[in-house]
Amino acid sequence: MSNRPRNVWLSKTAVNGALVLAVVYMLFPLVWLLTAATKDAGGLLAGNAFTFEGFDLGGNLSRLAAYDDGVYVRWYLNSLLYAGLGALGCSLVSVAAGYAFDKYDFPGKEKLFGVVLLGVLVPTTALALPMYLLASEVGIVNTYWAVFVPVLVNPFGVYLARVFSAGYIPDEALEAARIDGAGELRTFWSIGLPMVMPGFVTVFLFQFTAIWNNFFLPLVMLSDQKLFPLSLGLYAWNSNAHAEPDFYPLVVTGSLLAVVPLVVAFVSLQRHWKAGLTAGSVK
C-alpha cells in the first residue's frame, strides 16, 4: 500500500509530461511563425527566426498589403467567401439530410445512407478531375462557383448530423409540434435545428477548416489570380521565393494572418457545444 501514492504520482507525472510534449509539438510551428513574421528576408535566411532581433512586423504588414495592388487582401476576402458561405451552406445541407435520414422512413433509406458512407471513404483529391470535367461541361471553370459548389456537399457531415439528430432531437418534441399544426419544414426549422445546433456548429467548423485549407480544388479549377484563395496565392508566392528571396517575408507574414480566422472561429463557436448539451432534453 505504501507504493500506491508513489505509483499514482508517477502516473500523473507521465501523463502530464506527455501532454506538455504534445502542446510544445503543436505550438512550436506557431511560435516560429509568430517570430519569423517579424523578420526581413535577410533575417529569415540568416537562421535566427526565433528571436525578435530586427523586429519589422509593421513593415512586413505594409508590404504585404501593398504588394501587387493589394492582391493579398483580395485572396483573404476570397477565402472568407469560400469558407464562410461554403461552410454555412454545407452545414445546412448536412444537418437537413442527417435529420431526414434519422427521422423519416422512405424506401431504400439505409442503402442510400450506405452510399453516403462510401462517399466518406473516397479521398477528395480523387474527385478533383471528375469535378473539373463536370464544371467544364456546365461552364463554371475559373469562376467562384467552381470552388463554391463542390464544397456544399460533405458525406461525413451528413453522417455526423444523423448521429447528432438521433442523440439530440427526441421524437416526442417533433410529434408535439406536428400536433400543434406545424408543417415538416417549420418543425425542422423551429424545433429540430435549434436542438441539433451543436452538430451544426461541429459540421461548420470541420468544413470551414477544410475549405480554408483547401488547395488542390482551387489549383485545378482556377487560373485567374484574382480568384485565388489564400492557400493557392501563398503557394504561388512561395514558388517565386526561390528566385526572389524578398517573397519569404510576404509568405511568412501572410501565413500568420491566415491562421487568425481559424482561431477566431473555434474560440467564438465553442460556447455552442456547452449550450447545446441539454438542448435535446424533454421537460
Side-chain angles (χ1 to χ4, degrees):
M1 296 297 292
S2 60
N3 291 331
R4 185 174 180 181
R6 181 180 180 182
N7 292 335
V8 172
W9 181 83
L10 290 175
S11 298
K12 290 183 178 179
T13 302
V15 171
N16 292 334
L19 292 176
V20 170
L21 290 177
V23 170
V24 171
Y25 176 78
M26 289 184 290
L27 293 181
F28 185 80
L30 186 59
V31 173
W32 181 91
L33 193 63
L34 183 61
T35 57
T38 66
K39 305 293 181 183
D40 56 13
L44 287 174
L45 296 177
N48 57 347
F50 281 104
T51 67
F52 287 102
E53 182 181 354
F55 188 92
D56 192 28
L57 179 60
N60 287 341
L61 291 174
S62 299
R63 288 186 290 271
L64 181 68
Y67 183 81
D68 198 9
D69 296 328
V71 68
Y72 179 84
V73 178
R74 180 68 177 266
W75 294 342
Y76 211 96
L77 294 177
N78 288 342
S79 289
L80 289 175
L81 177 65
Y82 294 139
L85 293 183
L88 181 61
C90 176
S91 300
L92 287 173
V93 172
S94 297
V95 170
Y99 173 87
F101 275 118
D102 177 48
K103 301 304 179 185
Y104 297 119
D105 291 322
F106 50 87
K109 180 177 90 169
E110 295 304 328
K111 293 181 179 179
L112 183 59
F113 189 69
V115 174
V116 173
L117 293 181
L118 286 177
V120 178
L121 304 178
V122 179
T124 55
T125 52
L127 300 176
L129 182 58
M131 285 191 293
Y132 173 81
L133 296 176
L134 289 173
S136 180
E137 290 290 332
V138 180
I140 60 174
V141 173
N142 201 32
T143 66
Y144 285 106
W145 298 106
V147 177
F148 181 73
V149 173
V151 301
L152 294 177
V153 180
N154 184 359
F156 178 72
V158 176
Y159 164 75
L160 199 62
R162 183 178 184 178
V163 173
F164 272 98
S165 177
Y168 279 76
I169 306 178
D171 294 333
E172 293 83 354
L174 303 182
E175 289 298 329
R178 295 185 181 111
I179 292 175
D180 289 340
E184 294 302 323
L185 184 60
R186 177 64 182 275
T187 300
F188 167 72
W189 190 260
S190 300
I191 305 297
L193 184 59
M195 285 185 170
V196 80
M197 189 55 66
F200 181 92
V201 172
T202 302
V203 175
F204 178 88
L205 288 176
F206 278 145
Q207 193 68 356
F208 185 89
T209 304
I211 300 172
W212 188 266
N213 296 325
N214 194 5
F215 170 76
F216 195 65
L217 181 64
L219 178 65
V220 172
M221 293 291 188
L222 303 177
S223 59
D224 187 356
Q225 185 177 355
K226 294 181 179 180
L227 302 178
F228 283 3
L230 276 178
S231 57
L232 189 55
L234 292 175
Y235 169 79
W237 278 0
N238 189 56
S239 300
N240 295 332
H242 299 290
E244 301 181 41
D246 288 339
F247 274 103
Y248 280 121
L250 298 180
V251 173
V252 173
T253 308
S255 299
L256 177 63
L257 294 181
V259 177
V260 174
L262 298 178
V263 175
V264 171
F266 274 89
V267 171
S268 61
L269 294 178
Q270 65 177 346
R271 61 185 180 86
H272 288 282
W273 283 311
K274 299 176 182 179
L277 291 178
T278 59
S281 60
V282 181
K283 295 181 179 180

